[in-house]
Amino acid sequence: MQQNRHAQTQKKMGLCIALGAGVGSNVGVTIGVIFDILAFSIAMSGAFGVSIGAAVGAALSAKTSHK
């Protein structure tokens, strides 16, 4: 009887570990995806900012050179 209870406890612990690992990996993947999206959007906004800056700079230099 005692051995059976011990085996059940070990089985429960194994199940909890497996469940925890599954949830943990899902959370890890989700966090990874969110950070990837954030990194992508930061890179995109950076590139966008540079192109806007270049356009504004070109427009300003064109205006000043006409004077």
Side-chain angles (χ1 to χ4, degrees):
M1 196 70 180
Q2 192 75 28
Q3 207 168 0
N4 191 19
R5 189 176 291 162
H6 184 69
Q8 275 187 326
T9 306
Q10 275 194 324
K11 204 183 278 184
K12 267 187 195 166
M13 202 168 159
L15 206 84
C16 286
I17 289 168
L19 195 72
V23 168
S25 65
N26 278 346
V27 167
V29 165
T30 306
I31 288 170
V33 167
I34 288 168
F35 274 113
D36 276 356
I37 290 167
L38 281 176
F40 183 69
S41 63
I42 287 165
M44 285 299 286
S45 61
F48 197 59
V50 166
S51 58
I52 286 173
V56 167
L60 283 175
S61 65
K63 270 188 182 173
T64 50
S65 63
H66 276 301
K67 276 188 175 177

